[in-house]
Amino acid sequence: MKRILICSLTAAMAAMTSVSTSAANDGVAGSSSSSGDFDITLNVPTQIIVKNFNNMLLDTTAATLGAPIVGTEDICVGGIGFASYSVNLSSQNGSSGGVGSDPFQLNGTSQNLPYTAAFIDNVANSTGTGADVNGDITGSFARNGNLDCQSDNARVFVTVDAAVWESANETSYSDTLTVTVTAL
């Protein structure tokens, strides 16, 4: 029993010393002053958030024949404990997140329409970086928002090419696009 207790105490002391790099130092008695010191450590666990989503309605009533239909969704990416992040876009119906034949796909009852998706880390640009066949956006983006995400700071683009929407045989198509941000 004593041997187990000694081994446990030794292991606990070894774990404690690995957490603290230096010990606090008490002051010594002096004639006019005394000083001591201690280390301060702030732990900031990584936390990332993406929010401020709204549903996107794409409509052909104002579309121009021969021109793509482009929809945008402004969102906020924020967090603490990291400097940059990566982005993945996945389509519930498409091959980037489901079993469709195209990476991004709007499904009707009997006809499916492909679309493209892109991302940019601001809300001023009118184009973004397109997602690859796996939904990954090339590169990384600097974090410029905190956890409360009061202001949108990123944009997702959805584009349905003219040849695609002009070939629609049905009146309604839908998909769910998932935006995943990963702290780097």
Side-chain angles (χ1 to χ4, degrees):
M1 180 75 164
K2 287 184 182 180
R3 185 167 195 270
I4 294 172
L5 180 60
I6 291 171
C7 289
S8 296
L9 287 173
T10 304
M13 291 179 70
M16 287 173 51
T17 57
S18 68
V19 172
S20 177
T21 56
S22 64
N25 298 302
D26 290 335
V28 294
S31 60
S32 62
S33 68
S34 176
S35 63
D37 60 50
F38 60 94
D39 292 339
I40 301 171
T41 303
L42 170 64
N43 292 322
V44 182
T46 299
Q47 294 183 45
I48 188 168
I49 190 165
V50 58
K51 62 187 233 179
N52 299 347
F53 288 94
N54 293 296
N55 291 327
M56 180 182 293
L57 176 62
L58 300 175
D59 194 335
T60 62
T61 55
T64 303
L65 287 176
I69 295 174
V70 179
T72 60
E73 175 58 25
D74 292 345
I75 59 175
C76 180
V77 179
I80 57 173
F82 65 96
S84 62
Y85 63 95
S86 63
V87 178
N88 176 274
L89 306 175
S90 65
S91 162
Q92 180 179 6
N93 297 333
S95 60
S96 62
V99 295
S101 57
D102 293 294
F104 300 94
Q105 188 171 293
L106 295 160
N107 285 2
T109 304
S110 61
Q111 182 188 28
N112 303 324
L113 303 178
Y115 68 92
T116 59
F119 177 86
I120 191 70
D121 64 342
N122 66 65
V123 294
N125 285 27
S126 59
T127 61
T129 302
D132 67 15
V133 296
N134 298 314
D136 294 323
I137 303 295
T138 302
S140 62
F141 303 91
R143 177 181 61 88
N144 61 6
N146 56 27
L147 284 173
D148 68 358
C149 268
Q150 293 298 313
S151 300
D152 291 338
N153 58 20
R155 180 172 280 169
V156 177
F157 299 88
V158 169
T159 303
V160 181
D161 287 334
V164 171
W165 70 263
E166 289 173 6
S167 71
N169 294 329
E170 301 175 36
T171 59
S172 182
Y173 300 83
S174 64
D175 187 27
T176 299
L177 184 68
T178 300
V179 178
T180 303
V181 294
T182 303
L184 300 175

